[in-house]
Amino acid sequence: MGILELLLIAVGVSMDAFAVSICKGLSVRKLRSRHVFAVSMWFGGFQALMPLIGYYLGSSFADLVTDYDHWISFVLLALIGGNMIKEAFGKSDDTDGVCDDFSFKKMLPLAVATSIDALAIGVSLAFLKVNIWISVLVIGAMTAAFSGVGIIIGNQFGARYKSKAELAGGIILVIMGLKILVEHLMA
């Protein structure tokens, strides 16, 4: 997998955090740099941690499934992407329970919820034999950047970008899954 594919996966997996950051921005009356920093670090940190955990879980049984690892990667990416696409068209409250609180108690569940899909991405990365350290750095940094921008957008413009972000992320992940599958079937 090349850097372009890694960047696309990072963008795709960042979209949940971006969407929640937009909602978080909606709930903040006076946005401060500490809010942007907190959201960026929580979401970027967890988006880096979860693929690392998934990678080591996947690596432990990767040798057992090398004949069909591309199918596993495809299914995981397609399921995550499909769920994001479904959520983009679903009806939801614009703030999804997000409030103007940046405490550990409020941020931890949001960070975990937005990074669960990154755990499955980590499993896929184990099958693709990529450099996990570069991958988690790119995914974490991309998510931190998108989250910081998301809270600003949410604070300035409102919820109109939330579903578009989820749709774009879902489409990217499904396309990456298809690309991995086609490359392995054509080899």
Side-chain angles (χ1 to χ4, degrees):
M1 175 167 47
I3 191 69
L4 179 62
E5 289 90 354
L6 177 58
L7 288 171
L8 288 172
I9 286 175
V11 168
V13 80
S14 297
M15 289 299 109
D16 276 349
F18 178 66
V20 172
S21 297
I22 289 172
C23 293
K24 197 75 175 150
L26 290 170
S27 69
V28 179
R29 295 195 199 297
K30 177 115 171 94
L31 187 64
R32 302 194 189 301
S33 58
R34 66 186 161 118
H35 298 132
V36 176
F37 181 76
V39 166
S40 295
M41 291 302 99
W42 273 103
F43 293 158
F46 269 82
Q47 287 285 41
L49 177 64
M50 293 300 241
L52 187 62
I53 293 168
Y55 179 86
Y56 285 110
L57 288 173
S59 294
S60 63
F61 61 86
D63 291 337
L64 302 173
V65 294
T66 54
D67 290 339
Y68 47 96
D69 58 354
H70 52 282
W71 283 102
I72 294 171
S73 295
F74 165 70
V75 168
L76 288 173
L77 290 170
L79 286 173
I80 295 165
N83 188 51
M84 288 175 73
I85 292 168
K86 184 181 119 200
E87 287 176 7
F89 291 108
K91 197 166 180 97
S92 68
D93 178 16
D94 286 340
T95 59
D96 288 338
V98 181
C99 63
D100 189 5
D101 183 355
F102 292 85
S103 68
F104 177 85
K105 185 178 169 184
K106 294 292 181 180
M107 292 303 294
L108 180 64
L110 290 174
V112 170
T114 59
S115 63
I116 292 296
D117 53 355
L119 183 72
I121 298 294
V123 172
S124 294
L125 293 176
F127 298 137
L128 298 173
K129 310 275 194 257
V130 301
N131 182 323
I132 190 58
W133 299 107
I134 292 172
S135 299
V136 298
L137 179 67
V138 169
I139 291 169
M142 187 74 70
T143 303
F146 271 106
S147 298
V149 169
I151 193 169
I152 294 167
I153 289 172
N155 189 256
Q156 297 293 318
F157 301 107
R160 71 179 129 177
Y161 297 110
K162 179 180 180 281
S163 63
K164 290 178 178 76
E166 286 178 331
L167 178 62
I171 290 170
I172 289 169
L173 292 179
V174 169
I175 289 170
M176 291 308 301
L178 284 170
K179 180 185 179 298
I180 290 167
L181 180 63
V182 169
E183 282 178 352
H184 280 78
L185 291 177
M186 296 300 207

